[in-house]
PDB file of all heavy atoms in Angstrom:
ATOM      1  N   THR A 177      90.963 170.310 102.670  1.00  0.00           N
ATOM      2  CA  THR A 177      92.203 170.460 103.434  1.00  0.00           C
ATOM      3  C   THR A 177      91.846 170.914 104.836  1.00  0.00           C
ATOM      4  O   THR A 177      91.040 171.840 105.001  1.00  0.00           O
ATOM      5  CB  THR A 177      93.131 171.508 102.780  1.00  0.00           C
ATOM      6  OG1 THR A 177      93.367 171.130 101.423  1.00  0.00           O
ATOM      7  CG2 THR A 177      94.453 171.611 103.524  1.00  0.00           C
ATOM      8  N   ASP A 178      92.424 170.275 105.827  1.00  0.00           N
ATOM      9  CA  ASP A 178      92.254 170.700 107.218  1.00  0.00           C
ATOM     10  C   ASP A 178      93.408 171.618 107.586  1.00  0.00           C
ATOM     11  O   ASP A 178      94.571 171.301 107.336  1.00  0.00           O
ATOM     12  CB  ASP A 178      92.239 169.504 108.168  1.00  0.00           C
ATOM     13  CG  ASP A 178      90.979 168.674 108.036  1.00  0.00           C
ATOM     14  OD1 ASP A 178      89.927 169.238 107.687  1.00  0.00           O
ATOM     15  OD2 ASP A 178      91.044 167.461 108.281  1.00  0.00           O
ATOM     16  N   TRP A 179      93.070 172.744 108.183  1.00  0.00           N
ATOM     17  CA  TRP A 179      94.047 173.719 108.652  1.00  0.00           C
ATOM     18  C   TRP A 179      93.866 173.879 110.152  1.00  0.00           C
ATOM     19  O   TRP A 179      92.753 174.099 110.616  1.00  0.00           O
ATOM     20  CB  TRP A 179      93.844 175.064 107.968  1.00  0.00           C
ATOM     21  CG  TRP A 179      93.935 175.020 106.483  1.00  0.00           C
ATOM     22  CD1 TRP A 179      92.901 174.923 105.600  1.00  0.00           C
ATOM     23  CD2 TRP A 179      95.123 175.045 105.701  1.00  0.00           C
ATOM     24  NE1 TRP A 179      93.373 174.896 104.311  1.00  0.00           N
ATOM     25  CE2 TRP A 179      94.742 174.974 104.347  1.00  0.00           C
ATOM     26  CE3 TRP A 179      96.475 175.125 106.008  1.00  0.00           C
ATOM     27  CZ2 TRP A 179      95.667 174.990 103.306  1.00  0.00           C
ATOM     28  CZ3 TRP A 179      97.395 175.141 104.969  1.00  0.00           C
ATOM     29  CH2 TRP A 179      96.990 175.073 103.641  1.00  0.00           C
ATOM     30  N   THR A 180      94.929 173.768 110.892  1.00  0.00           N
ATOM     31  CA  THR A 180      94.895 173.970 112.337  1.00  0.00           C
ATOM     32  C   THR A 180      95.455 175.354 112.622  1.00  0.00           C
ATOM     33  O   THR A 180      96.475 175.743 112.058  1.00  0.00           O
ATOM     34  CB  THR A 180      95.734 172.904 113.057  1.00  0.00           C
ATOM     35  OG1 THR A 180      95.196 171.625 112.723  1.00  0.00           O
ATOM     36  CG2 THR A 180      95.695 173.086 114.561  1.00  0.00           C
ATOM     37  N   VAL A 242      99.041 179.182 111.414  1.00  0.00           N
ATOM     38  CA  VAL A 242      98.233 178.181 110.708  1.00  0.00           C
ATOM     39  C   VAL A 242      99.155 177.075 110.201  1.00  0.00           C
ATOM     40  O   VAL A 242     100.199 177.350 109.602  1.00  0.00           O
ATOM     41  CB  VAL A 242      97.484 178.814 109.508  1.00  0.00           C
ATOM     42  CG1 VAL A 242      96.652 177.762 108.779  1.00  0.00           C
ATOM     43  CG2 VAL A 242      96.612 179.981 109.962  1.00  0.00           C
ATOM     44  N   TRP A 243      98.756 175.835 110.475  1.00  0.00           N
ATOM     45  CA  TRP A 243      99.474 174.654 109.984  1.00  0.00           C
ATOM     46  C   TRP A 243      98.534 173.838 109.105  1.00  0.00           C
ATOM     47  O   TRP A 243      97.326 173.805 109.348  1.00  0.00           O
ATOM     48  CB  TRP A 243      99.911 173.749 111.132  1.00  0.00           C
ATOM     49  CG  TRP A 243     100.905 174.326 112.066  1.00  0.00           C
ATOM     50  CD1 TRP A 243     102.271 174.252 111.961  1.00  0.00           C
ATOM     51  CD2 TRP A 243     100.645 175.036 113.279  1.00  0.00           C
ATOM     52  NE1 TRP A 243     102.855 174.883 113.026  1.00  0.00           N
ATOM     53  CE2 TRP A 243     101.885 175.368 113.858  1.00  0.00           C
ATOM     54  CE3 TRP A 243      99.488 175.435 113.939  1.00  0.00           C
ATOM     55  CZ2 TRP A 243     101.997 176.075 115.051  1.00  0.00           C
ATOM     56  CZ3 TRP A 243      99.593 176.144 115.125  1.00  0.00           C
ATOM     57  CH2 TRP A 243     100.844 176.451 115.661  1.00  0.00           C
ATOM     58  N   GLU A 244      99.089 173.158 108.128  1.00  0.00           N
ATOM     59  CA  GLU A 244      98.279 172.221 107.354  1.00  0.00           C
ATOM     60  C   GLU A 244      98.160 170.936 108.161  1.00  0.00           C
ATOM     61  O   GLU A 244      99.140 170.445 108.713  1.00  0.00           O
ATOM     62  CB  GLU A 244      98.922 171.939 105.997  1.00  0.00           C
ATOM     63  CG  GLU A 244      98.013 171.143 105.088  1.00  0.00           C
ATOM     64  CD  GLU A 244      98.501 171.058 103.657  1.00  0.00           C
ATOM     65  OE1 GLU A 244      99.492 171.731 103.311  1.00  0.00           O
ATOM     66  OE2 GLU A 244      97.886 170.300 102.905  1.00  0.00           O
ATOM     67  N   ASP A 245      96.975 170.416 108.253  1.00  0.00           N
ATOM     68  CA  ASP A 245      96.637 169.233 109.034  1.00  0.00           C
ATOM     69  C   ASP A 245      96.744 169.514 110.530  1.00  0.00           C
ATOM     70  O   ASP A 245      95.954 170.278 111.050  1.00  0.00           O
ATOM     71  CB  ASP A 245      97.482 168.012 108.644  1.00  0.00           C
ATOM     72  CG  ASP A 245      97.213 167.566 107.206  1.00  0.00           C
ATOM     73  OD1 ASP A 245      96.048 167.602 106.796  1.00  0.00           O
ATOM     74  OD2 ASP A 245      98.169 167.198 106.521  1.00  0.00           O
ATOM     75  N   GLU A 246      97.730 168.951 111.217  1.00  0.00           N
ATOM     76  CA  GLU A 246      97.828 169.086 112.678  1.00  0.00           C
ATOM     77  C   GLU A 246      98.773 170.210 113.077  1.00  0.00           C
ATOM     78  O   GLU A 246      99.656 170.595 112.310  1.00  0.00           O
ATOM     79  CB  GLU A 246      98.330 167.772 113.280  1.00  0.00           C
ATOM     80  CG  GLU A 246      97.381 166.616 113.076  1.00  0.00           C
ATOM     81  CD  GLU A 246      97.901 165.332 113.691  1.00  0.00           C
ATOM     82  OE1 GLU A 246      98.969 165.357 114.336  1.00  0.00           O
ATOM     83  OE2 GLU A 246      97.232 164.311 113.518  1.00  0.00           O
ATOM     84  N   GLU A 247      98.589 170.697 114.306  1.00  0.00           N
ATOM     85  CA  GLU A 247      99.469 171.732 114.836  1.00  0.00           C
ATOM     86  C   GLU A 247     100.893 171.213 114.888  1.00  0.00           C
ATOM     87  O   GLU A 247     101.148 170.095 115.342  1.00  0.00           O
ATOM     88  CB  GLU A 247      99.010 172.147 116.240  1.00  0.00           C
ATOM     89  CG  GLU A 247      99.806 173.290 116.808  1.00  0.00           C
ATOM     90  CD  GLU A 247      99.216 173.831 118.094  1.00  0.00           C
ATOM     91  OE1 GLU A 247      97.968 173.875 118.221  1.00  0.00           O
ATOM     92  OE2 GLU A 247     100.006 174.218 118.966  1.00  0.00           O
ATOM     93  N   ASP A 253     107.496 175.169 111.112  1.00  0.00           N
ATOM     94  CA  ASP A 253     106.712 174.261 110.280  1.00  0.00           C
ATOM     95  C   ASP A 253     105.297 174.773 110.004  1.00  0.00           C
ATOM     96  O   ASP A 253     104.460 174.044 109.491  1.00  0.00           O
ATOM     97  CB  ASP A 253     106.700 172.843 110.850  1.00  0.00           C
ATOM     98  CG  ASP A 253     106.200 172.771 112.278  1.00  0.00           C
ATOM     99  OD1 ASP A 253     105.932 173.825 112.870  1.00  0.00           O
ATOM    100  OD2 ASP A 253     106.079 171.652 112.801  1.00  0.00           O
ATOM    101  N   ALA A 254     105.053 176.028 110.297  1.00  0.00           N
ATOM    102  CA  ALA A 254     103.749 176.634 110.023  1.00  0.00           C
ATOM    103  C   ALA A 254     103.626 176.955 108.536  1.00  0.00           C
ATOM    104  O   ALA A 254     104.606 177.283 107.869  1.00  0.00           O
ATOM    105  CB  ALA A 254     103.578 177.905 110.837  1.00  0.00           C
ATOM    106  N   ALA A 255     102.413 176.856 108.025  1.00  0.00           N
ATOM    107  CA  ALA A 255     102.140 177.230 106.641  1.00  0.00           C
ATOM    108  C   ALA A 255     101.976 178.739 106.507  1.00  0.00           C
ATOM    109  O   ALA A 255     102.206 179.304 105.441  1.00  0.00           O
ATOM    110  CB  ALA A 255     100.887 176.520 106.148  1.00  0.00           C
TER     111      ALA A 255
END
Side-chain angles (χ1 to χ4, degrees):
T177 304
D178 289 330
W179 302 96
T180 301
V242 180
W243 295 270
E244 189 169 353
D245 296 321
E246 296 180 4
E247 185 171 324
D253 56 356

